[in-house]
Amino acid sequence: MNNIIVIICALFYLVVLFGIAYYAEHRLKKGSSIINNPYVYSLSLAVYCTAWTYYGSVGRATNDGIMFLAIYIGPTIASIFMMPVLGKIIRITKFQRINSIADFVSARYGKNLSIAFIVTLLCIIGVVPYISLQLKAISASFNILIQHQGSSTSYFNDTTFYITIVLAVFIILFGTRSVDATEKHEGLVAAIAFETIIKLVAFICAGLFITYGLFNGFGDIFYKASQSQTLSKLFVFKQADYISWFFMIICSMMAFLFLPRQFQVSVIENVDESHLKKAAWLFPLYLLIINVFVLPIAFGGELLFGKGMMDADTYVLAIPLHSGNHLLSLFIFIGGFSAATSMIIVETIAISTMVSNSMVMPFLLGIPALKKRIDISFSKDIIYIRRISILLVLLLAYLYEKNVAHYISLVSIGLVSFAAVTQFAPALIAGIYWKGASKNGALTGIIVGFIFWFYTLVIPSLANTGIIHSDLLTFGPFGLSWLNPTALFGLQGFDSISHSLFWSLFFNISSFTIVSLYSKQKSQEVYQAELFVNIYKHAVSDNEGLWKRTAYIPDLNTLLENFLGKERSKNLIMGYAQRNKIIIDEASNIADPRLVDFSEKILAGVIGSASAHIMVSSVTKEEELSIDEILKILQESQQMRELNKELRKKSLDLTRATDDLKKANNQLKDIDALKDEFLYTVTHELRTPLTSIRALSEIVHDNPDMEEEQRSEFMGRVVKETERLTHLITQVLYLERYESGKQKLNLSSFSMVELAEDAFQSIEPLAKIKNIDFKLIHPNSSLLLHADKDLLRQVMINLLGNAVKFTNEDGHIEFILTDNHDEIVVTVKDNGKGIPKVDQPFLFDKFFQARNQTVKKPEGSGLGLAISKKIVIMHGGKIWVESEEGKGSRFMFLIPNFMARNV
Amino acid sequence: MFMLNFPLLSLSSKPNLLFGVPSLYVYIFSIWILVLVIIFYVLKKDSIDKKKGDNNE
């Protein structure tokens, strides 16, 4: 294909990007943001998929089968577990106006400059080769498209150079609009989202063309592949693959969070935290879709060209080209081009921010001569520094690609890069959950991890290319085989990435933990740790500055003006003062501590938190809080929390007590109601005999000439009614004593048989009157019992009396004692009229008889059975009735015999 | 995470074809889709609950 056409297409594509970015910024000026929605956010996250995904996945799939997928499974799993982590990072970043990953780490560990410097340096070493890889992909795909054979000649390499220049212009135009690096790059993000769509569509087109155009669908490709000896091996995992698979997942999870470009799009460019929720499934879905066709393309390419005949990395482009479909090939080239450029754009922005803020600025601010010069406006300088950084980063990547890249196999660069940023993970994740993580610990962990990363991954790849003697890999340095960088300490059976990850993470985490535990934190560190770990608590109240710093307002003003310009800094300070109702004291010109904190935050967005802290400190009169004071403040909040906890516990107790009280109250109410009812029944019962007494005495009183015989009969009835009254009152008194618990058992040992005979004899005369057949049946033994004799006698008399009362003349009554060894059962059996089933449960209630109107004339008080029940229960026994209407009834009670039990 | 690692992964790592696709690939992609659906529903439910909570306040 004509190379001019291809170049024109590529340039045209870049012009479209410019257009989109420009349009987005234009829209923003009019007040409507197109990046402020979860879909654009999710799409921008897919900057994760670079040219390495686009071309490299297929290449890896031809060698390792489905192993390439681990790189995409990782972020999917991260979507589940890491979303809270990411949410917290975003919140902290917004609150502290952080502008890069180096800035984040440094801010957490006491706004320390050296840690920011180290992180930036490592990012450059780890990630710039990755940018080169993208440039390489562009030039390689260009080569294939124009079917250029042979290695490097001058002009197509120049194409890459020009493309690099155009990209640099693009990044400078849309990436350094504002001096404030925390401001969103509206146009850039819009362009990235657009590129994300292009690369997906292009890749899917390639997949569809190969799978359904050249083959008959998935089944066809896999069937043919299964016939091939070499390809069918890729269908399964080798035993060693599981380890690589696992480490790859871990590594890609971390890379997804902490690669500078990922941090840039997911954290810095995040407009709204809630967008994370949509992205949590949209982004993995994107990864899923873009990976569906990787395996068919890989197998398709192998089947078409034969194993090893062509570089598998190029299949995506080479297959359509080979089958003569030029238009499609061009589109696929553009897709790969978009994947590469999106990565280059974001990564360069992220790294150049770090370089300018963590390397150049501190250096410039550190030169005393320049420090004096900051009176002259500095804000233009900052933008220029950042632009130069962008050019430098791109130049570095370009030079690396031209000079070093062909020594090293490019395939592994992506993973090497992933492994490098994984070294930040311990310090970062622990940093937002563990207050004890200290600056020294983090610094040690990162450096140690990085040394191991370098030794076990970079050195071997250099040795493989012959820059270093390859004997190193077989025998180790100085012939020390345990120092062999590919099998450190003799660890074998791991692939190089897993091997490196294992050792670097192992030493990283352990040194980080140990040093953190044994190092003392400075006060600034303690404060920042508290802010980061408990961000959700602190982010609510913005103004709780711990540092009571004061400064002269003019000093503060000049400082801000130098970096932001006169107009803006004035607006910012006035706006903040108004929002928080801070009165600016014109006379003394001393700024409120909150204002000082605010200024530092604003500056942090421009030059990074570490530099900002130094700058602001230079104009403030700061009472450096001692570690004790900080601990005191933290302790106070701790105490508050504990107090709070205690209060909550107390209130819980209170609620419980209230519940108990309520229950007791309800019980009382019930009892009260019972009492009322009882009183009502008793008075009712008392009134009946009283009425007849009164009536009879009135008759006698009003008729003095009454016949003697009648008078004595009347008087006899009065006496009888009075007796009944007395009896009733006695019974009520008894019952009252039993119920209130005043009645104590008067325990003695006696023979139950004797007691029964006694009761029997008392009742016998009554039975004789009605001519009832009355029998006492008892066992031969005397049945010794330890109980209250009088009370038991009362129960017996009561039951027997009732039996006599309710049995017709010539009836039978049996009074039976049974010995069940550990209990004595007393039965009174009659053949009277019996008791209806429905009444039986209530028989032992007070005044049951009175309420039950089936009994025409009450005989007895109606309290006898209730009293009997009380007595039996007091003895630990029970009383019940068995009866059938018309056939008589059987009253029984049992008393446990503890004496027999003890024997 | 557990479902996508050894030893569960090894169960499907066999050289046979399922619906014309190697069983390992079928397994991994189905788990992936399953995870997506779960995230989708959990977060959807979450935000609906939140909305309800907001209305109540």
Side-chain angles (χ1 to χ4, degrees), chain A residues 375-390:
Chain A
D375 293 344
I376 308 156
S377 173
F378 219 65
S379 66
K380 278 247 167 62
D381 297 357
I382 292 175
I383 290 193
Y384 281 122
I385 290 170
R386 221 171 279 157
R387 286 177 181 166
I388 292 167
S389 309
I390 289 171

Side-chain angles (χ1 to χ4, degrees), chain A residues 385-436:
Chain A
I385 290 170
R386 221 171 279 157
R387 286 177 181 166
I388 292 167
S389 309
I390 289 171
L391 283 177
L392 277 177
V393 170
L394 280 176
L395 192 68
L396 201 63
Y398 177 71
L399 289 178
Y400 187 91
E401 195 263 321
K402 265 202 101 176
N403 300 312
V404 190
H406 56 272
Y407 288 117
I408 299 173
S409 66
L410 284 181
V411 195
S412 61
I413 285 182
L415 276 177
V416 172
S417 197
F418 276 28
V421 296
T422 303
Q423 304 309 324
F424 302 143
L428 254 159
I429 295 179
I432 59 173
Y433 288 105
W434 180 38
K435 277 191 229 167

Side-chain angles (χ1 to χ4, degrees), chain A residues 645-663:
Chain A
K645 220 176 180 179
E646 216 158 284
L647 266 175
R648 218 177 309 151
K649 210 174 126 201
K650 284 224 170 101
S651 97
L652 207 76
D653 286 349
L654 217 68
T655 325
R656 218 172 288 148
T658 318
D659 280 353
D660 285 352
L661 273 177
K662 250 183 218 161
K663 230 183 263 167

Side-chain angles (χ1 to χ4, degrees), chain A residues 317-387:
Chain A
L317 192 56
I319 298 174
L321 199 64
H322 191 75
S323 53
N325 202 329
H326 288 273
L327 205 62
L328 180 68
S329 310
L330 190 60
F331 183 50
I332 292 168
F333 165 74
I334 293 293
F337 186 63
S338 75
T341 51
S342 62
M343 183 278 184
I344 295 171
I345 291 169
V346 183
E347 201 87 89
T348 308
I349 287 271
I351 291 190
S352 68
T353 311
M354 285 196 256
V355 169
S356 77
N357 280 355
S358 309
M359 288 179 146
V360 184
M361 285 308 294
F363 176 71
L364 291 182
L365 296 175
I367 299 171
L370 272 171
K371 213 171 187 176
K372 277 177 203 148
R373 232 207 61 178
I374 59 169
D375 293 344
I376 308 156
S377 173
F378 219 65
S379 66
K380 278 247 167 62
D381 297 357
I382 292 175
I383 290 193
Y384 281 122
I385 290 170
R386 221 171 279 157
R387 286 177 181 166

Side-chain angles (χ1 to χ4, degrees), chain A residues 76 222 234 237 242 245 277, chain B residues 4 9-10 13 20 25 32 43:
Chain A
T76 303
F222 286 123
L234 299 176
F237 268 3
Y242 293 107
W245 176 260
K277 283 195 173 164
Chain B
L4 286 173
L9 207 55
S10 66
S13 180
Y25 305 171
W32 197 342
L43 289 180

Side-chain angles (χ1 to χ4, degrees), chain A residues 459-690:
Chain A
I459 297 280
S461 68
L462 290 178
N464 277 334
T465 55
I467 295 172
I468 298 173
H469 205 279
S470 61
D471 276 357
L472 184 76
L473 299 187
T474 25
F475 305 113
F478 319 115
L480 298 170
S481 62
W482 58 274
L483 276 181
N484 184 347
T486 52
L488 199 60
F489 308 122
L491 183 71
Q492 269 164 353
F494 280 46
D495 69 307
S496 60
I497 297 284
S498 311
H499 171 263
S500 171
L501 269 174
F502 176 77
W503 282 125
S504 58
L505 276 183
F506 176 77
F507 286 108
N508 181 339
I509 293 173
S510 41
S511 62
F512 169 55
T513 319
I514 291 168
V515 175
S516 284
L517 287 176
Y518 288 100
S519 64
K520 257 201 173 156
Q521 287 171 298
K522 286 210 188 92
S523 45
Q524 173 76 20
E525 244 182 291
V526 175
Y527 177 54
Q528 285 297 102
E530 164 70 23
L531 273 188
F532 272 56
V533 173
N534 291 325
I535 181 69
Y536 291 110
K537 213 171 74 191
H538 294 290
V540 186
S541 54
D542 179 27
N543 301 323
E544 271 181 25
L546 182 60
W547 307 89
K548 300 292 173 220
R549 294 177 299 183
T550 51
Y552 288 112
I553 290 180
D555 286 351
L556 221 51
N557 258 338
T558 338
L559 197 61
L560 285 184
E561 274 169 23
N562 290 335
F563 291 96
L564 293 164
K566 216 168 193 145
E567 196 69 19
R568 235 185 117 199
S569 56
K570 200 177 167 193
N571 286 345
L572 279 170
I573 289 211
M574 285 309 188
Y576 183 79
Q578 244 165 25
R579 269 201 312 280
N580 292 287
K581 302 193 176 66
I582 297 170
I583 298 153
I584 292 177
D585 192 347
E586 296 281 349
S588 68
N589 257 335
I590 287 175
D592 190 280
R594 281 178 288 174
L595 213 52
V596 180
D597 282 348
F598 174 70
S599 309
E600 186 178 323
K601 261 182 209 163
I602 292 292
L603 269 189
V606 181
I607 56 174
S609 46
S611 304
H613 185 63
I614 294 172
M615 291 309 294
V616 172
S617 298
S618 72
V619 299
T620 54
K621 278 174 290 177
E622 178 173 353
E623 343 154 7
E624 176 81 14
L625 281 176
S626 70
I627 202 120
D628 288 340
E629 282 172 288
I630 292 205
L631 282 180
K632 214 175 112 196
I633 291 167
L634 294 179
Q635 248 168 24
E636 265 163 25
S637 79
Q638 179 75 24
Q639 274 168 359
M640 284 291 278
R641 226 173 298 146
E642 246 147 53
L643 212 66
N644 200 6
K645 220 176 180 179
E646 216 158 284
L647 266 175
R648 218 177 309 151
K649 210 174 126 201
K650 284 224 170 101
S651 97
L652 207 76
D653 286 349
L654 217 68
T655 325
R656 218 172 288 148
T658 318
D659 280 353
D660 285 352
L661 273 177
K662 250 183 218 161
K663 230 183 263 167
N665 190 29
N666 282 340
Q667 250 170 11
L668 276 178
K669 270 185 191 157
D670 287 351
I671 290 174
D672 198 42
L674 275 179
K675 208 92 181 165
D676 281 351
E677 202 192 327
F678 180 68
L679 213 62
Y680 170 76
T681 333
V682 167
T683 39
H684 183 78
E685 286 294 295
L686 291 176
R687 218 171 58 171
T688 324
L690 267 178

Side-chain angles (χ1 to χ4, degrees), chain A residues 23 272 350 529 650 862:
Chain A
Y23 173 70
D272 186 340
K650 284 224 170 101

